[in-house]
Amino acid sequence: MKPNAYSADCPTRQILDRVGDKWAVLILLLLRDEPMRFNQLRRAIEGISQKMLAQVLRSLERDGLVKRRAIPTVPVTVEYSISPLGITLAAAVDPLRDWAERNLKDVLAAQRRYDAQRKAMAA
């Protein structure tokens, strides 16, 4: 059967969920540049909790987008790197990040106009 993302039971939706997750996208874009340890990622991504970072990294690893390597030190050091499959996804989502950065002012202005209109209608 051909994948159909509009179908409720299509596995494509799981992949789109990953692409739509801001934390997953930010992790992939960071790892595209270089492998990083867990705490390096946590420091680089402001606002992500330790628990959320661990969950997202596990999901990315399960999906084959990130590779985890345990280095036998005391304590054990864990390093994460992007997989070849992850590189293709990072290449696909990076233009979206770029678009968001280029159009941030316009989106924020639209939000302010919308909020002002809603407030005026409620008054």
Side-chain angles (χ1 to χ4, degrees), residues 26-99:
L26 294 173
I27 290 167
L28 286 174
L29 292 176
L30 280 172
L31 292 178
R32 181 185 56 176
D33 297 333
E34 63 180 331
M36 297 179 83
R37 294 185 318 274
F38 184 91
N39 284 326
Q40 284 179 294
L41 286 165
R42 194 163 53 96
R43 284 190 298 272
I45 304 171
E46 293 181 11
I48 193 168
S49 69
Q50 185 170 334
K51 179 181 176 183
M52 181 58 67
L53 179 57
Q55 288 175 348
V56 175
L57 283 168
R58 273 193 299 275
S59 295
L60 291 170
E61 184 181 7
R62 181 174 183 259
D63 292 345
L65 302 169
V66 165
K67 295 182 282 184
R68 180 184 186 274
R69 181 172 75 113
I71 302 165
T73 56
V74 179
V76 173
T77 302
V78 178
E79 183 180 80
Y80 295 91
S81 60
I82 195 166
S83 71
L85 184 60
I87 290 171
T88 65
L89 179 55
V93 298
D94 196 35
L96 182 58
R97 178 210 45 85
D98 185 51
W99 180 93

